[in-house]
């Protein structure tokens, strides 16, 4: 199996058109077709049904797609890494995170990857879900981490990392801090701090409103740092994800009946070559036991 055969296969699988795939790969269509036939002979079956106007993956082709994609990504990453070592520069990891993702979720992996790759630079981009999607589309970021991008773009690769609940957080000086669990009745006269930068802000607000908690008098907060300072000053209370770190001056409480679960995803761009660093970080994140982060503030 030659890597150019794999590259041609992936191009046709993405475009479902032999002519357009040949143009993208900068080869003639007969050359592309011949390479794919050689790959099919090696794999023992047809990878495509050559229909008009579009080619279609066979069952074998569908099963081989993720394996050949992984093979191609690994080989591409190895070439990039070898080139980086030769030039004395490893480059940068460009990753976009929504404002509602705590960076401490990544720091153990970043410390590990920093020791593996010499002269590595981290570029962190922050934004709301739409901005994270924009960073990925433009190529400004190789990887993205957010709850839900909501982007209608068929080139997004998505892998769920973990699902978490939301808890109530108060100052330890607040009367509610004496409890471990509260009911909605306990919140009806409280001043809420709303994390407007969180993708699930409206969902959390809707759940509170459905249970009779008035959130019209809420304070709108635009950063996690401001939220922590206001909570410590006992200006209000807030509902935040389990994985958000809080200082010892604050207390975390469960809210009985609160419907506010979210799933955090890792995002990449299908068909776009990833650096060796991005590929390594992706493998780390997908193989992580996230339970340690879900329980760390319990």
């Amino acid at each position: 199996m030659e890597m150019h055969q794999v590259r041609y296969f992936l191009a046709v699988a993405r475009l479902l058109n032999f002519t357009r795939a040949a143009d993208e790969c900068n080869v003639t269509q007969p050359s592309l077709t011949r390479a794919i036939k050689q790959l099919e002979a090696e794999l023992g079956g047809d990878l495509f049904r050559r229909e008009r106007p579009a080619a279609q993956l066979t069952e074998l082709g569908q099963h081989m797609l993720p394996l050949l994609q992984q093979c191609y990504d690994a080989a591409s990453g190895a070439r990039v890494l070898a080139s980086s070592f030769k030039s004395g520069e490893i480059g940068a990891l460009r990753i976009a995170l929504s404002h509602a993702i705590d960076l401490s979720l990544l720091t153990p992996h970043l410390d590990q990857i920093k020791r593996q790759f010499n002269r590595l630079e981290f570029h962190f981009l922050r934004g709301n879900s739409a901005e994270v999607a924009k960073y990925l589309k433009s190529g400004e970021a190789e990887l993205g981490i957010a709850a839900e991008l909501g982007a209608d773009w068929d080139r997004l690769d998505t892998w769920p990392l973990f699902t978490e609940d939301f808890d109530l957080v108060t100052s330890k000086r607040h009367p509610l801090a004496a409890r471990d669990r509260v009911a909605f009745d306990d919140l009806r006269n409280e001043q809420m701090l709303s994390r407007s930068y969180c993708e699930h802000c409206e969902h959390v607000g809707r759940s509170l409103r459905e249970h009779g908690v008035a959130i019209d008098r809420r304070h709108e907060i635009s950063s996690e740092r401001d939220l922590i300072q206001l909570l410590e000053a006992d200006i209000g209370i807030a509902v935040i994800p389990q994985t958000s770190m809080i200082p010892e001056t604050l207390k975390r409480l469960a809210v009985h009946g609160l419907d506010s679960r979210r799933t955090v995803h890792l995002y990449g761009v299908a068909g776009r070559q990833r650096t060796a660093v991005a590929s390594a970080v992706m493998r780390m994140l997908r193989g992580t036991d996230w339970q340690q982060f879900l329980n760390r503030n319990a």
Side-chain angles (χ1 to χ4, degrees), residues 4-19 21-22 25 32-41 43-66 68-69:
H4 73 277
Q5 297 172 335
V6 177
R7 181 163 65 94
Y8 296 168
F9 165 78
L10 294 175
V12 177
R14 187 176 70 258
L15 299 173
L16 298 179
N17 185 287
F18 278 71
T19 301
C25 295
L32 180 139
T33 300
R34 184 165 54 253
I36 289 181
K37 283 186 175 296
Q38 291 170 349
L39 182 60
E40 289 175 325
L43 295 176
D46 291 341
L47 298 171
F48 297 99
R49 290 191 297 273
R50 290 155 175 81
E51 302 175 351
R52 293 184 180 276
Q56 299 294 331
L57 283 166
T58 63
E59 185 175 358
L60 175 61
Q62 292 172 354
H63 281 88
M64 293 304 302
L65 177 58
L68 292 178
Q69 181 70 64

Side-chain angles (χ1 to χ4, degrees), residues 245-282:
M245 288 290 287
I246 61 172
E248 293 183 357
T249 52
L250 302 180
K251 176 70 179 292
R252 184 183 293 271
L253 307 92
V255 182
H256 180 69
L258 180 64
D259 176 21
S260 58
R261 291 172 68 81
R262 74 168 182 174
T263 298
V264 173
H265 297 84
L266 171 66
Y267 295 93
V269 180
R272 184 177 293 170
Q273 180 173 311
R274 299 187 182 98
T275 63
V277 180
S279 297
V281 170
M282 179 179 291

Side-chain angles (χ1 to χ4, degrees), residues 174-187:
H174 194 284
L176 291 177
R179 312 183 191 182
D180 292 322
R181 177 181 291 268
V182 296
F184 290 107
D185 287 342
D186 301 317
L187 308 180

Side-chain angles (χ1 to χ4, degrees), residues 23 35 37 91 108 128 212 238 268 281 294 298:
D23 290 341
K37 283 186 175 296
N128 56 33
V281 170
L294 297 174

Side-chain angles (χ1 to χ4, degrees), residues 204-224:
V204 171
R206 185 164 55 251
S207 181
L208 291 172
R209 193 180 295 111
E210 289 173 353
H211 289 86
V213 180
I215 60 173
D216 297 333
R217 296 181 293 106
R218 61 187 176 181
H219 297 310
E220 293 282 347
I221 312 301
S222 59
S223 78
E224 203 82 343

